[in-house]
Amino acid sequence: MRGGAKEQPCLQGDDWPTCAQKIMGHVEESLCSTVTPKVTQALNILTTTFGRCQSPWTEALWVRLSARVACLLERDPIPAAHSLVDLLLCVARSPVFGSSNGSLWEMVAQALSCLGPAHVGPLALGILKLEHCPQALRTQAFQVLLQPLACVLKATVQAPGPLGLLDGMADDAMMVDALLASKSSCAGLLCRTLAHLEELQPLPQRPSPWPQATLLGAAVTVLRLCDGSATPVSSVGGHLCATLAGCVRVQRAALDFLGMLSQGTSPQELVTQVLAVLLECLKSPGSSPTVLKKAFQATLRWLLSSPKTSSCSDLGPHIPQFLRELFLVLQKRLCSPCWEVRDSALEFLTQLSRHWGGEADFRCALLASEVPELAWQLLQDPESYVRASAVTATGQLSSWGLHAPTSPQHAVARQSLLRELLRILSADSEGFPRRAVMQVFTEWLRDGHADVTRDTEQFVATVLQVASRDLDWEVRVQGLELALVFLGQTLGPPHTHCPYAVALPEAAPARPLTEALRALCHVGLFDFAFRALFDCDRPVAQKSCDLLLFLRDKIASYNSLREASPNTDSVEAAPWRWRAHEQTQPQEDQEPEAVLAMLRSLDLEGLQSTLAESSDHVEKSPQSLLQDMLATGGFLQGDEADCY
């Protein structure tokens, strides 16, 4: 249709190019075919066309072919339903067709009534995501999307929450048949419905009012059907109880959906029921590791969505009791023979402590349980993933003073945790726990943990000495991050390079510059950074380069340090010694004057640019390409000059 013509082609199909008319004839013939692959191919061609081209002639194309597309909805069964949904949504999204295009919306409404449960959900979701769509069609699409949950709620007794929009909806025969056909059909339909609603909830064009209470009741009911606690009131309900009992797939989808609903405003009585069903799921001995992980995530989202106050009791009278029961369950899960369960429980403990570590009721419930002690014991777990999660959890608890009850042994417990983490960093055979230790130590240094502030320089020196020898490059990178935090605390935060930033007066350094540099030398920061600058792992060298550039920038802002003149030969030879990874450096290399001279002598910007290049930049260079051409063409030595 473009054909290189300067003028727009006529919207009438009679004078279209011959090739375009032949293609149209072929598509029309394929749409009328009784062979499903031919219909699928024709629909896919149209979907691609409407998706990639928004020229006015596409409206004439749709006018010519829409009747044949509509005829597909009258067949039984409807052929190529998935491709048909894609085409209808693609046309509906095209700017060529406005919201006033009645024939298009009538066809979509017909499709919502005719398509089976497996295909009508994606169409309904796509319609609801449109910004411009007739309100009547949006209402129909939302009712179609809610239909499976309406069947579930009406089949059980005393479903929590009002039915709302679902109350007046008649049971759809095809929907009920899909729920009763087989376990896979029932599970697939419910999982798709919950996923579609989860995708729709955060969108600004979602239906309003949003039936929060109804959806909460449906999610709770689905979970009760899965754990066998729902009471059926019909033969459909009895069949659903038998079909969904212990269905891990549906449980995971329902827990994800339930966690998403925590973002809305819900009645307190429904929140209580939500927390109760989550606790039952966490308690159940039949819950699989993946279901437990989803249940922990949903529980965390509901607890954290509550208003943050000085006391958890303001969240409701049942929250303190819920926390006590929750920690009893957590104790059990921390002792699970399945390492995935222990790992999920530790991750949940870490996240909850990070957000609620200062809440009085949370602290009381946690310290009254055995959870802190069990988390400590899991530092010796045989599984490295669990040890890493235990490191993170105990580090977070220690930051809030929650690793042991308040007692004269409190400081001793903190010191023993520090020693244990240093042991893991030095001796653990797996990389995950060592990386976790470095992350905890960096957070402790950044937040001013009591064990760090007692002797910060000694702490940093010990950690950097161990991290610099680690064979795991991620541990070394995290060691450089810790060094950068210490550097910022010693010399001040980095300068802003934003041209629009308000120029603020320079903050006074924490100590005189020369004294600060001696402290950096004392903790071995320069020794670590210069070695890392020539590290064989590029991320380590990049991090070191960033650190040294930051240091050079900070030093340049101070005028109090006199220009030093160390031994020139020593300065020139020092980088080669760092590159060679010599274990001991001459004492003069550790002096501030020598360090500054080395900083000035290094082309850090050039090194940073080199490190930023991709690892295959040489192979992608023009010279390398020409060499490949020569090798492929089999040119002789004498022909190279002509080729170049």
Side-chain angles (χ1 to χ4, degrees):
M1 290 300 293
R2 292 172 184 164
K6 295 182 179 179
E7 297 181 0
Q8 287 285 345
C10 178
L11 297 185
Q12 302 300 322
D14 297 338
D15 58 348
W16 282 9
T18 304
C19 183
Q21 294 192 37
K22 289 183 177 180
I23 294 174
M24 286 276 286
H26 176 73
V27 172
E28 287 177 322
E29 180 184 348
S30 298
L31 288 174
C32 297
S33 174
T34 57
V35 180
T36 299
K38 277 192 173 183
V39 178
T40 302
Q41 186 182 47
L43 292 172
N44 291 343
I45 288 171
L46 294 176
T47 301
T48 303
T49 302
F50 287 112
R52 295 183 180 179
C53 182
Q54 283 83 43
S55 298
W57 63 265
T58 57
E59 185 174 6
L61 177 66
W62 176 250
V63 169
R64 178 170 173 177
L65 296 176
S66 58
R68 287 175 172 79
V69 174
C71 288
L72 297 176
L73 295 172
E74 299 174 0
R75 298 192 198 179
D76 187 21
I78 297 175
H82 180 79
S83 297
L84 179 58
V85 168
D86 289 343
L87 173 61
L88 291 176
L89 290 177
C90 189
V91 174
R93 296 187 191 108
S94 174
V96 176
F97 305 93
S99 58
S100 60
N101 193 313
S103 61
L104 170 63
W105 302 125
E106 288 175 6
M107 190 184 304
V108 172
Q110 183 184 1
L112 287 172
S113 303
C114 298
L115 289 171
H119 301 102
V120 75
L123 177 61
L125 176 64
I127 293 300
L128 290 169
K129 291 167 72 173
L130 294 175
E131 294 185 2
H132 304 289
C133 175
Q135 183 58 42
L137 187 62
R138 291 178 61 84
T139 301
Q140 181 187 0
F142 197 40
Q143 288 180 339
V144 166
L145 203 57
L146 294 174
Q147 187 69 57
L149 297 183
C151 296
V152 168
L153 285 175
K154 291 178 181 180
T156 55
V157 68
Q158 295 178 346
L163 291 179
L165 288 176
L166 310 184
D167 194 21
M169 292 172 58
D171 288 341
D172 182 88
M174 286 194 298
M175 203 70 69
V176 174
D177 289 343
L179 287 171
L180 302 182
S182 64
K183 183 169 184 175
S184 61
S185 174
C186 179
L189 178 58
L190 287 177
C191 288
R192 286 193 301 272
T193 300
L194 294 170
H196 290 155
L197 289 168
E198 185 177 356
E199 184 178 349
L200 187 63
Q201 195 271 346
L203 300 179
Q205 63 267 34
R206 73 178 188 183
S208 180
W210 180 254
Q212 175 78 4
T214 302
L215 295 176
L216 268 181
V220 169
T221 300
V222 169
L223 286 173
R224 286 178 174 166
L225 284 168
C226 292
D227 66 17
S229 62
T231 305
V233 294
S234 65
S235 58
V236 174
H239 189 88
L240 288 175
C241 286
T243 301
L244 295 178
C247 184
V248 172
R249 182 183 172 192
V250 175
Q251 281 180 298
R252 292 201 306 260
L255 287 167
D256 280 339
F257 181 59
L258 193 61
M260 177 275 300
L261 290 175
S262 66
Q263 302 172 17
T265 303
S266 309
Q268 183 57 48
E269 60 272 16
L270 270 181
V271 174
T272 302
Q273 294 188 47
V274 168
L275 293 177
V277 77
L278 287 172
L279 196 61
E280 290 169 10
C281 188
L282 291 172
K283 286 180 179 178
S284 173
S287 295
S288 69
T290 53
V291 168
L292 285 171
K293 185 178 183 67
K294 296 289 187 182
F296 277 128
Q297 292 171 346
T299 303
L300 179 68
R301 295 181 71 173
W302 274 96
L303 289 175
L304 298 186
S305 66
S306 304
K308 184 81 177 288
T309 63
S310 59
S311 174
C312 293
S313 58
D314 289 345
L315 306 177
H318 303 294
I319 291 294
Q321 177 61 30
F322 174 79
L323 288 174
R324 287 191 287 271
E325 295 182 24
L326 177 65
F327 286 127
L328 289 176
V329 175
L330 199 59
Q331 289 175 187
K332 174 184 175 183
R333 296 306 181 185
L334 289 172
C335 299
S336 171
C338 179
W339 74 263
E340 293 95 340
V341 175
R342 301 195 301 274
D343 191 59
S344 298
L346 286 168
E347 290 178 353
F348 171 77
L349 175 63
T350 301
Q351 294 298 324
L352 194 57
S353 301
R354 177 172 286 119
H355 290 89
W356 271 11
E359 303 293 340
D361 286 334
F362 172 79
R363 297 174 65 87
C364 181
L366 177 65
L367 293 176
S369 70
E370 299 176 12
V371 169
E373 177 63 27
L374 292 172
W376 171 279
Q377 293 176 10
L378 290 177
L379 292 172
Q380 310 288 338
D381 196 274
E383 176 56 52
S384 64
Y385 289 108
V386 179
R387 293 199 301 276
S389 296
V391 166
T392 306
T394 54
Q396 188 60 231
L397 292 176
S398 180
S399 296
W400 288 102
L402 291 169
H403 46 279
T406 304
S407 66
Q409 290 76 33
H410 192 58
V412 176
R414 283 205 314 263
Q415 285 296 314
S416 59
L417 176 60
L418 176 60
R419 288 194 296 270
E420 179 64 17
L421 294 185
L422 284 172
R423 183 199 65 78
I424 293 173
L425 181 61
S426 305
D428 199 294
S429 60
E430 298 289 338
F432 296 109
R434 302 200 306 273
R435 296 172 197 169
V437 170
M438 286 304 305
Q439 291 170 353
V440 167
F441 282 165
T442 304
E443 289 181 10
W444 281 8
L445 179 61
R446 185 180 289 116
D447 299 337
H449 190 278
D451 290 342
V452 175
T453 56
R454 183 176 292 105
D455 191 344
T456 303
E457 290 187 13
Q458 180 60 39
F459 169 81
V460 173
T462 303
V463 174
L464 292 185
Q465 183 181 16
V466 178
S468 65
R469 299 194 302 262
D470 201 289
L471 298 179
D472 190 315
W473 68 266
E474 292 192 45
V475 173
R476 300 197 298 278
V477 167
Q478 192 62 44
L480 289 165
E481 177 63 27
L482 182 141
L484 189 58
V485 171
F486 180 68
L487 196 58
Q489 292 177 349
T490 305
L491 296 177
H495 293 297
T496 177
H497 296 287
C498 177
Y500 304 104
V502 177
L504 298 175
E506 285 288 336
R511 61 177 84 178
L513 183 57
T514 304
E515 180 184 340
L517 291 175
R518 291 190 184 279
L520 298 177
C521 292
H522 173 70
V523 301
L525 186 145
F526 294 119
D527 181 81
F528 183 20
F530 281 120
R531 288 180 190 276
L533 194 62
F534 304 105
D535 198 287
C536 58
D537 289 297
R538 186 169 56 166
V540 181
Q542 286 177 313
K543 189 72 175 179
S544 176
C545 194
D546 293 341
L547 183 147
L548 293 174
L549 281 169
F550 164 64
L551 174 63
R552 197 180 67 182
D553 177 59
K554 291 298 298 182
I555 291 174
S557 63
Y558 295 98
N559 298 321
S560 58
L561 191 71
R562 63 180 177 83
E563 290 289 337
S565 300
N567 186 292
T568 304
D569 294 337
S570 176
V571 170
E572 292 178 352
W576 297 102
R577 289 197 292 268
W578 298 113
R579 187 188 293 270
H581 294 282
E582 293 182 8
Q583 294 300 313
T584 58
Q585 297 297 326
Q587 185 61 36
E588 61 269 16
D589 289 352
Q590 305 289 342
E591 293 299 320
E593 292 80 5
V595 170
L596 292 177
M598 279 188 284
L599 273 177
R600 296 188 186 101
S601 68
L602 289 171
D603 180 16
L604 294 175
E605 287 83 2
L607 181 58
Q608 188 180 48
S609 176
T610 301
L611 291 170
E613 292 178 334
S614 62
S615 58
D616 60 347
H617 70 278
V618 174
E619 285 73 16
K620 289 184 176 180
S621 66
Q623 180 180 358
S624 176
L625 177 60
L626 290 171
Q627 290 170 347
D628 291 342
M629 292 167 61
L630 285 172
T632 305
F635 292 105
L636 299 176
Q637 187 74 21
D639 298 327
E640 285 191 22
D642 294 336
C643 175
Y644 277 97

